Amino acid sequence: MVVIEAGARGFLRIMIKRAKGVTISQVADAAGVARSSVSRAFTKPDMLLPETVDRIMKAAEALGYVPNHTARALSTGRHGNVGLIVPDIANPFFPPLIQAAQMEADRSDFCIFLGNTEESPKQEDKLVGRFAGQVEGLVLASSRLSDERIRAHAAQLPLVLINRDIDGIPRVLIDSGSGVRGAVEHLAKLGHRKIVYVSGPQTSWSNKQRRNAIRSAAASAGVAVEIVAASLPSYNSGRNAVDAILSTGATAAVAFDDVTAQGVLAGLAERRVSVPGDFSLIGCDDVLGAVTYPALTSVSNRSREAGRVAVSLLLDLLQSGAIRDVRYVLETHLVVRSTTGAMP
Amino acid sequence: MVVIEAGARGFLRIMIKRAKGVTISQVADAAGVARSSVSRAFTKPDMLLPETVDRIMKAAEALGYVPNHTARALSTGRHGNVGLIVPDIANPFFPPLIQAAQMEADRSDFCIFLGNTEESPKQEDKLVGRFAGQVEGLVLASSRLSDERIRAHAAQLPLVLINRDIDGIPRVLIDSGSGVRGAVEHLAKLGHRKIVYVSGPQTSWSNKQRRNAIRSAAASAGVAVEIVAASLPSYNSGRNAVDAILSTGATAAVAFDDVTAQGVLAGLAERRVSVPGDFSLIGCDDVLGAVTYPALTSVSNRSREAGRVAVSLLLDLLQSGAIRDVRYVLETHLVVRSTTGAMP
DNA sequence: CTGTTAGCGCCTTCAG
DNA sequence: CTGAAGGCGCTAACAG
């Protein structure tokens, strides 16, 4: 129905009155049954005579009835939503994760609340609170919260963590260690004797993990390692790190992530250092695919799987009602492309 | 409280009983007032004596009361959520848009439901339906639905479109035409006499817009144009288009988007065609920032603003209750970096 | 198998 | 300014 009325200041306002939800009672009347039967027809049809279900469904269809999600949620306490909170949607690490989470939720007819914390713990706390009332559970990806806050939230509602290792809270971890070890061995085999690790954020769980993996792998391969800090994981900090990298005398580098690696790649090109002729470079996360030139050798990241598994785990927990201390680890591996070659 | 109980099959199950929501009644009792007063204290405090509000708030705090969103929604019909549906989260065009939408919603304490349609109209329809019950309004970004379906949905709940131009439905459009014209003029000024447009998906509103803008701008600048189709907007189709591009004899190209342009860039490098020395290249959407080497000249995209404006518009509509026929157009412009130079 | 009867937790008239 | 009562739409025992 379209309504045209005079607004407060005299001008015309066009309003479209939207269909006011048909209720279960109207359907019940139309079908000549009790409200509860209509409810059952939609939730537990096997409790009813097939023909009754049929009659109810016909009436419902005719009236355009559609169950009210909110009312059902209030009554059952289950609303069929899960929340997903990430620090930065725009970081290429997350979109595939989000997408996979979404697909997995969809398979069970769940909806996803998405939250972006802008890397701020305060914002993260706020979002958890805002979501808490309307989701059955939450996935926290690369949370920036303290262990205490996370534990506190976990006491309020089912929680699954991604890339955060807290005892007693279900978590899925991407073990970049395995892939990073492969990277170091790959470089050693190519003859490199000294490499540098271009590090990421000091507070990052992944950075710590990668740094340690490189150190130990290099030690056992007899390769020297130097660390060059690139505070932020960004293109610019990678590019700015190039002088420091070259001054170490190393012939190869592993960067905290692909974005940083791409910055390094650009910096090297500007200085006429050819890759992989004069210098070899490896990224992490494999988020750039083969889009750089030369195509970047990188460590696979499996963020897509992490998203899928996390949601799947959460839905399992919701269904079973139990909390299991799950620690799901995803191994990674080296993806060799064109930025690595024999030591010059 | 931690409970350890024997599970059905005898093994131990550890469960954490979560705090069962404190209700308004408990607060009312504790504060010695009626339930309605507690409700008012939270929604219309000015209707109450300041000291009453105070007493209620104290009691609420002590009990750890937090209003039940679902119950409130059932009662008021407003649940403080909006939905955002996109075709492909992983396409770099969308994350900034999503992020901005999220921030704008957050400013008004709204939560965002995110839906990913995998480019499928069927999935999009399904998501709209699933969301409909629990959001007050919806933003459809680059919808793949037919005009009819969109109109049908718009009749059910408030809708705002991004990059889709349908009369009578509020929409925000990114006009890449202006930027693309700038691109052509830029190339003409550099002396190029023949250019190619590497086109995107035939069904895309943006592709049509860009193609037309290039044609008309080239005509008035006296530049010849050829179209090379790159069916999908992807790195590979860009790279595969390179031979066709070079065989036209053109000295410059504008690509449908940055991802395609990056593929072209790689293809050119493989064929030892130097950029911008031998060939000039311009992308669209500016999603790669300056991360390619050489840094890509591109047309700005403003997807971030589109996301922000769309949500802001939607919230306005919700508040006013009226439907205005808004058509919000965002102009774009050329961002000159290092892939364009004088005709060889 | 189906109807009856209570709520779920909150908001909102309507009286005082 | 505050209390009492009814209802939002649906589900969940409990009877038949």
Side-chain angles (χ1 to χ4, degrees):
Chain A
M1 166 169 56
V2 176
V3 184
I4 304 195
E5 61 174 36
R9 283 181 259 132
F11 56 81
L12 286 185
R13 203 147 57 148
I14 301 185
M15 306 183 56
I16 300 185
K17 277 273 190 349
R18 301 180 196 292
K20 252 319 215 178
V22 179
T23 78
I24 215 174
S25 308
Q26 307 180 35
V27 178
D29 289 353
V33 297
R35 285 166 9 206
S36 45
S37 292
V38 179
S39 172
R40 287 177 187 123
F42 279 86
T43 53
K44 317 171 174 67
D46 355 273
M47 283 187 63
L48 262 33
L49 230 42
E51 51 194 44
T52 313
V53 175
D54 210 63
R55 191 152 38 95
I56 294 177
M57 287 315 204
K58 279 207 170 49
E61 182 118 12
L63 295 178
Y65 168 76
V66 40
N68 180 319
H69 199 96
T70 312
R72 179 177 292 179
L74 178 59
S75 186
T76 61
R78 325 200 62 232
H79 12 187
N81 301 324
V82 295
L84 170 61
I85 297 185
V86 303
D88 180 13
I89 305 176
N91 181 320
F93 177 85
F94 293 107
L97 185 156
I98 298 172
Q99 182 178 13
Q102 159 87 45
M103 288 188 69
E104 184 64 21
D106 197 67
R107 289 193 336 120
S108 304
D109 289 336
F110 269 68
C111 292
I112 289 233
F113 274 87
L114 180 66
N116 191 57
T117 68
E118 311 287 331
E119 303 274 357
S120 146
K122 196 176 300 178
Q123 174 74 358
E124 190 166 349
D125 254 335
K126 182 171 139 198
L127 284 176
V128 172
R130 216 210 274 323
F131 285 3
Q134 20 190 2
V135 300
E136 295 183 31
L138 230 39
V139 173
L140 260 38
S142 304
S143 174
R144 303 316 198 209
L145 292 176
S146 66
D147 285 14
E148 293 74 47
R149 292 305 298 145
I150 292 184
R151 283 221 162 76
H153 288 134
Q156 299 299 128
L157 85 175
L159 220 61
V160 171
L161 268 21
I162 292 179
N163 276 359
R164 193 64 189 263
D165 196 0
I166 301 183
D167 260 15
I169 301 185
R171 52 214 184 277
V172 5
L173 274 6
I174 297 176
D175 173 27
S176 39
S178 45
V180 164
R181 268 187 293 282
V184 173
E185 284 155 17
H186 174 62
L187 291 175
K189 199 170 302 171
L190 288 171
H192 296 273
R193 312 308 308 155
K194 179 169 190 178
I195 66 178
V196 353
Y197 173 59
V198 188
S199 72
Q202 298 305 312
T203 59
S204 156
W205 180 83
S206 299
N207 180 52
K208 192 161 49 171
Q209 195 193 216
R210 288 165 197 184
R211 182 163 31 72
N212 294 342
I214 290 209
R215 282 230 175 88
S216 75
S220 52
V223 172
V225 176
E226 284 209 33
I227 310 274
V228 169
S231 47
L232 282 176
S234 73
Y235 175 83
N236 280 327
S237 55
R239 201 162 68 159
N240 294 336
V242 170
D243 282 329
I245 294 172
L246 292 176
S247 72
T248 63
T251 55
V254 176
F256 168 68
D257 70 0
D258 274 15
V259 178
T260 305
Q262 195 165 30
V264 173
L265 202 56
L268 291 172
E270 284 164 5
R271 287 166 185 72
R272 306 275 166 218
V273 177
S274 99
V275 174
D278 303 330
F279 196 90
S280 289
L281 182 64
I282 297 179
C284 275
D285 284 355
D286 202 24
V287 289
L288 265 20
V291 303
T292 61
Y293 186 79
L296 187 66
T297 293
S298 187
V299 172
S300 68
N301 88 340
R302 310 186 68 185
S303 69
R304 185 166 264 113
E305 272 164 284
R308 188 180 56 66
V309 171
V311 168
S312 158
L313 207 56
L314 181 56
L315 296 181
D316 271 9
L317 296 179
L318 291 178
Q319 190 162 19
S320 72
I323 295 255
R324 295 190 299 278
D325 187 9
V326 185
R327 187 170 187 277
Y328 194 105
V329 178
L330 292 164
E331 301 291 324
T332 60
H333 63 274
L334 185 68
V335 179
V336 179
R337 295 212 183 79
S338 317
T339 52
T340 44
M343 185 179 76
Chain B
M1 165 167 55
V2 175
V3 183
I4 303 194
E5 61 174 39
R9 283 182 256 132
F11 56 82
L12 286 185
R13 206 151 52 151
I14 301 184
M15 307 183 56
I16 300 184
K17 278 271 187 354
R18 301 178 196 292
K20 249 324 214 178
V22 179
T23 78
I24 215 175
S25 309
Q26 307 180 35
V27 178
D29 288 354
V33 297
R35 285 166 6 201
S36 43
S37 292
V38 179
S39 172
R40 286 175 186 124
F42 279 86
T43 54
K44 315 172 175 63
D46 355 273
M47 282 185 64
L48 262 35
L49 231 43
E51 51 194 42
T52 312
V53 174
D54 210 63
R55 190 151 39 96
I56 294 178
M57 287 316 204
K58 280 207 169 50
E61 182 118 12
L63 295 178
Y65 167 77
V66 39
N68 180 318
H69 199 96
T70 311
R72 179 177 292 179
L74 178 58
S75 188
T76 61
R78 322 200 66 234
H79 15 62
N81 301 323
V82 296
L84 170 60
I85 297 185
V86 304
D88 180 14
I89 305 176
N91 181 320
F93 178 85
F94 294 106
L97 186 156
I98 298 171
Q99 183 178 15
Q102 160 87 44
M103 287 188 69
E104 185 64 21
D106 196 68
R107 290 194 336 120
S108 304
D109 290 336
F110 269 67
C111 291
I112 290 234
F113 273 87
L114 180 67
N116 191 58
T117 68
E118 312 285 330
E119 303 274 357
S120 147
K122 195 176 302 179
Q123 173 74 358
E124 190 166 350
D125 255 335
K126 183 172 138 198
L127 283 175
V128 172
R130 215 209 275 323
F131 285 3
Q134 19 189 5
V135 300
E136 296 184 31
L138 228 41
V139 173
L140 259 40
S142 304
S143 174
R144 303 318 197 208
L145 291 176
S146 66
D147 285 14
E148 294 73 48
R149 294 302 301 144
I150 293 184
R151 283 221 162 77
H153 287 135
Q156 298 299 128
L157 84 177
L159 219 62
V160 172
L161 267 23
I162 292 179
N163 276 359
R164 192 65 188 262
D165 197 1
I166 301 182
D167 261 15
I169 301 185
R171 52 215 184 277
V172 4
L173 274 6
I174 297 176
D175 173 27
S176 39
S178 45
V180 164
R181 268 188 292 282
V184 173
E185 285 155 16
H186 174 62
L187 291 175
K189 200 170 301 171
L190 289 170
H192 296 273
R193 311 309 306 156
K194 178 169 189 179
I195 66 178
V196 354
Y197 173 58
V198 187
S199 73
Q202 298 306 310
T203 60
S204 157
W205 180 83
S206 300
N207 181 53
K208 191 161 51 172
Q209 196 193 216
R210 288 166 196 185
R211 181 162 33 71
N212 293 343
I214 290 208
R215 282 228 176 88
S216 74
S220 54
V223 172
V225 176
E226 284 209 32
I227 309 275
V228 169
S231 48
L232 281 176
S234 73
Y235 175 83
N236 280 328
S237 55
R239 202 162 68 160
N240 294 336
V242 170
D243 283 329
I245 294 172
L246 293 176
S247 72
T248 63
T251 55
V254 176
F256 168 70
D257 71 359
D258 274 15
V259 178
T260 304
Q262 196 165 30
V264 173
L265 203 55
L268 290 172
E270 283 164 6
R271 287 165 185 72
R272 306 276 166 218
V273 176
S274 99
V275 174
D278 303 330
F279 196 91
S280 289
L281 182 64
I282 298 180
C284 276
D285 284 355
D286 202 23
V287 290
L288 265 21
V291 303
T292 60
Y293 186 80
L296 188 66
T297 293
S298 187
V299 172
S300 67
N301 88 341
R302 309 186 69 184
S303 69
R304 185 165 264 113
E305 272 164 284
R308 188 179 57 66
V309 171
V311 168
S312 159
L313 208 55
L314 181 56
L315 296 182
D316 271 9
L317 296 179
L318 291 179
Q319 189 162 20
S320 73
I323 297 257
R324 294 189 299 278
D325 187 8
V326 185
R327 188 170 186 277
Y328 195 108
V329 178
L330 293 164
E331 302 290 323
T332 59
H333 63 274
L334 185 68
V335 179
V336 180
R337 296 211 182 79
S338 316
T339 53
T340 43
M343 184 180 77

